[in-house]
Amino acid sequence: MSKKAAEHHRKASEHHSEASRHHGEAAKHHDSGHHEKAAHHAHTAHGHATHARDHADHASQAHTEEHGKK
């Protein structure tokens, strides 16, 4: 695997972990009635999930570029 693809996979993993953490925070705040804080964490989680998907797409492109070289 190319270094470029591996780095994108690492970044995708990091963003998925952050998204998960923010979803957990959103649930905690929602349960305690702090809906504005819950919305903030939900919005942040969505941003991390979107960024993770972008990195996954870039990793896929890097794999395709590497495979096309052979």
Side-chain angles (χ1 to χ4, degrees):
M1 180 185 319
S2 72
K3 286 186 177 185
K4 185 177 178 182
E7 184 60 24
H8 283 298
H9 283 300
R10 273 191 287 281
K11 292 292 186 182
S13 175
E14 290 170 11
H15 285 293
H16 280 299
S17 295
E18 284 296 308
S20 176
R21 185 177 69 79
H22 283 288
H23 277 300
E25 287 294 312
K28 181 178 76 173
H29 289 302
H30 193 279
D31 286 341
S32 65
H34 297 105
H35 300 291
E36 286 185 22
K37 288 181 181 179
H40 165 77
H41 283 286
H43 181 76
T44 303
H46 178 74
H48 279 292
T50 300
H51 206 164
R53 188 176 60 243
D54 289 344
H55 279 293
D57 289 344
H58 288 301
S60 177
Q61 290 169 357
H63 282 297
T64 302
E65 289 170 7
E66 187 69 21
H67 182 71
K69 290 180 181 177
K70 293 181 179 182

